[in-house]
Amino acid sequence: EAFYAFLYSDENDIFDPIKGRVTNDMSHPISSYWINTAHSIVSRESIKQPDQTFHNKVKVSCQTYTDALYRGCRCLELRTWDGPSGEFPSYTLTRKKTDLEPVVCYEKPLSSNESVTTNTQRAEKFVYFVDILKAVKSFLKSHPQSFPIILSIEDHCTMPVQIKMAQYLKTILGDSNMLFVRPLLADGPLPSPENLMG
């Protein structure tokens, strides 16, 4: 664990922090800039099998997304799938306990009748979509002058779960004025990072 902390520390970062300071004019459309993107945020863990062979277990956690934000990423890729029901008392919509919830994971979550074999790398763990939204909200509250965070959603959900995702986006980020919802002109420029800050 200490070794991983060192690997991800600023002291071991190849990037020069002085060059990380914003020195460019940030008033151009957001499409004019390179955006630090976190793509396929997962951690791989080698698991020793009883027959002394190893296989990789792919894991995803809310902390990996939070760490990416603190390291400067401003675009998070979220692979969403239909997942099991969850308990979110403060964000409950009218739903039954058996309703599916949107989850984020590297690959389609295992169903209850599937099992992981030693040579697969299927995701055994997922994060509820709502938890990642709460982490983004928390980050933006503690960094009010942050440049905008783009959620790049690779959606594999059914329509009812997609509707639920839209409701969570509006409820969690929209109510705090953290969700860009203004209509864009089809042929007009995108807003600038400067206009989307805060």
Side-chain angles (χ1 to χ4, degrees):
E1 181 130 343
F3 180 66
Y4 280 110
F6 168 71
L7 284 179
Y8 290 109
S9 69
D10 290 340
E11 290 78 21
N12 193 44
D13 200 337
I14 194 169
F15 185 74
D16 182 357
I18 294 171
K19 294 195 168 128
R21 294 190 188 126
V22 177
T23 57
N24 297 335
D25 178 8
M26 300 304 280
S27 62
H28 299 287
I30 198 165
S31 56
S32 303
Y33 302 93
W34 289 99
I35 299 172
N36 190 348
T37 302
H39 180 73
S40 298
I41 303 177
V42 295
S43 59
R44 293 182 189 272
E45 203 177 273
S46 287
I47 307 298
K48 192 171 187 179
Q49 299 299 309
D51 63 359
Q52 303 302 314
T53 61
F54 288 86
H55 85 280
N56 287 329
K57 182 168 83 171
V58 178
K59 295 194 328 181
V60 64
S61 73
C62 204
Q63 188 62 45
T64 54
Y65 288 92
T66 304
D67 291 346
L69 291 173
Y70 277 98
R71 293 190 58 79
C73 289
R74 290 299 174 265
C75 179
L76 302 177
E77 182 205 32
L78 307 177
R79 293 182 182 181
T80 58
W81 305 83
D82 291 358
S85 178
E87 296 298 323
F88 311 113
S90 57
Y91 298 107
T92 41
L93 309 164
T94 50
R95 63 186 189 81
K96 301 178 213 112
K97 214 171 167 114
T98 56
D99 284 352
L100 296 174
E101 283 293 324
V103 297
V104 175
C105 65
Y106 184 67
E107 291 179 316
K108 183 178 180 181
L110 294 171
S111 65
S112 56
N113 57 357
E114 289 181 291
S115 63
V116 179
T117 61
T118 51
N119 28 357
T120 63
Q121 293 186 357
R122 292 289 300 278
E124 295 180 8
K125 188 173 180 187
F126 56 81
V127 177
Y128 285 107
F129 180 71
V130 72
D131 289 334
I132 292 176
L133 295 183
K134 290 192 279 186
V136 168
K137 180 178 182 174
S138 175
F139 177 84
L140 289 172
K141 276 189 166 185
S142 63
H143 297 82
Q145 292 304 310
S146 169
F147 283 109
I149 296 171
I150 298 167
L151 300 179
S152 172
I153 299 173
E154 183 182 311
D155 183 34
H156 301 276
C157 297
T158 57
M159 188 56 69
V161 177
Q162 289 179 30
I163 291 168
K164 192 177 288 190
M165 286 170 58
Q167 291 171 328
Y168 286 145
L169 282 163
K170 288 179 187 174
T171 304
I172 297 168
L173 298 177
D175 288 352
S176 304
N177 209 20
M178 296 178 179
L179 185 65
F180 183 78
V181 292
R182 291 181 287 277
L184 299 172
L185 300 173
D187 57 351
L190 292 171
S192 70
E194 192 174 74
N195 290 340
L196 294 171
M197 279 179 76

